[in-house]
């Protein structure tokens, strides 16, 4: 086997660890039963909180399609804001509805798409980018790579340099080189709603 830096290694075989099994042996039996842990699923509100377990949050325990780190950062920020009192915890009623939703999803697809998870946690943390507030960044926000700095434009822990960093991230992937929407992008952008199309040039 040869790596990109020239290093070679004689391997007997390659093992692709593409499966997903939730192994949480440190949980007490009571907590495992409360969250419905069966080795594949957890019954939690938005994969994070349970109404009967105050002060406890779970991070990253879902089968994600795509890179984990941008999503983990958003979930960790939501948890930190709630536990620090910067944001209110979801109400017990909201959490119970979320737990019921998690139970209902057990028969559905086992994996969670990265962009779906990122937007859910960003909305919960109050850091979802506002397209109307950033008309000059709509193309990278809608069609560029999903990078952590995209969620530092607004809200707690906003970064004043986020717009520049976001453009750099989009350009680094070769995805967004200018602000001109392609015809296909323009059609898709209109699906977002009038806020996006009204403010974009």
């Amino acid at each position: 086997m040869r790596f990109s830096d020239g290093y070679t290694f004689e391997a007997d075989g390659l093992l692709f660890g593409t499966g997903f099994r939730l192994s949480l042996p440190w949980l007490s039996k009571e907590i495992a039963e409360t969250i419905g842990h069966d080795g594949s699923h957890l019954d939690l509100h938005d994969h994070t909180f349970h109404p009967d377990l105050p002060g406890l949050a779970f991070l990253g325990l879902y089968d994600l399609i795509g890179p984990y780190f941008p999503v983990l950062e958003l979930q960790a920020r939501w948890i930190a804001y709630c536990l620090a009192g910067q944001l209110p915890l979801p109400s017990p009623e909201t959490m119970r509805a979320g737990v019921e939703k998690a139970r209902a999803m057990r028969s559905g697809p086992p994996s969670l798409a990265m962009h779906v998870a990122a937007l859910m946690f960003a909305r919960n943390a109050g850091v979802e980018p506002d397209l109307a507030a950033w008309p000059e960044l709509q193309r990278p926000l809608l069609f560029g790579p999903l990078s952590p700095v995209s969620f530092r434009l607004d809200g707690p822990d906003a970064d004043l340099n986020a717009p520049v960093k976001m453009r750099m991230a989009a350009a680094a992937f070769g995805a967004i080189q200018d602000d001109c929407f392609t015809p296909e992008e323009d059609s898709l952008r209109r699906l977002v709603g009038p806020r996006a199309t009204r403010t974009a040039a």
Side-chain angles (χ1 to χ4, degrees), residues 2 9 29 33-34 40 42 51 60 65 68 79 86 98 107 120 135 156-157 167 180 192 197:
R2 182 182 296 276
F9 179 77
K29 181 180 177 185
E33 288 176 354
T34 298
S40 299
L42 300 177
I65 302 171
Y68 265 85
I79 293 169
Q86 283 186 264
S107 59
M120 173 180 62
D157 302 315
R167 284 187 178 280
C180 299
V192 175
T197 55

Side-chain angles (χ1 to χ4, degrees), residues 29-44:
K29 181 180 177 185
E30 293 77 19
I31 291 177
E33 288 176 354
T34 298
I35 62 175
H37 177 35
D38 64 358
S40 299
H41 303 90
L42 300 177
D43 297 331
L44 298 169

Side-chain angles (χ1 to χ4, degrees), residues 49-163:
F49 295 112
H50 194 284
D52 297 330
L53 298 170
L56 181 62
F58 295 83
L59 175 71
L61 299 179
Y62 35 81
D63 185 8
L64 192 71
I65 302 171
Y68 265 85
F69 289 118
V71 177
L72 290 175
E73 179 180 321
L74 288 166
Q75 188 183 19
R77 288 171 70 187
W78 178 39
I79 293 169
Y81 297 155
C82 287
L83 297 183
Q86 283 186 264
L87 286 176
L89 279 163
S91 69
E93 295 77 22
T94 298
M95 281 197 247
R96 290 196 191 287
V99 167
E100 288 306 314
K101 181 180 174 185
R103 287 184 183 135
M105 291 174 63
R106 283 177 175 251
S107 59
S111 300
L112 185 62
M114 174 192 178
H115 66 283
V116 172
L119 283 176
M120 173 180 62
F121 294 133
R123 286 174 183 156
N124 290 347
V127 297
E128 179 184 9
D130 182 353
L131 292 173
W134 300 97
E136 73 281 10
L137 295 176
Q138 284 188 9
R139 188 165 186 239
L141 281 170
L142 291 171
F143 302 105
L146 196 153
S147 61
V149 75
S150 303
F151 301 97
R152 295 284 178 174
L153 294 168
D154 302 299
D157 302 315
D159 182 348
L160 293 176
N161 295 317

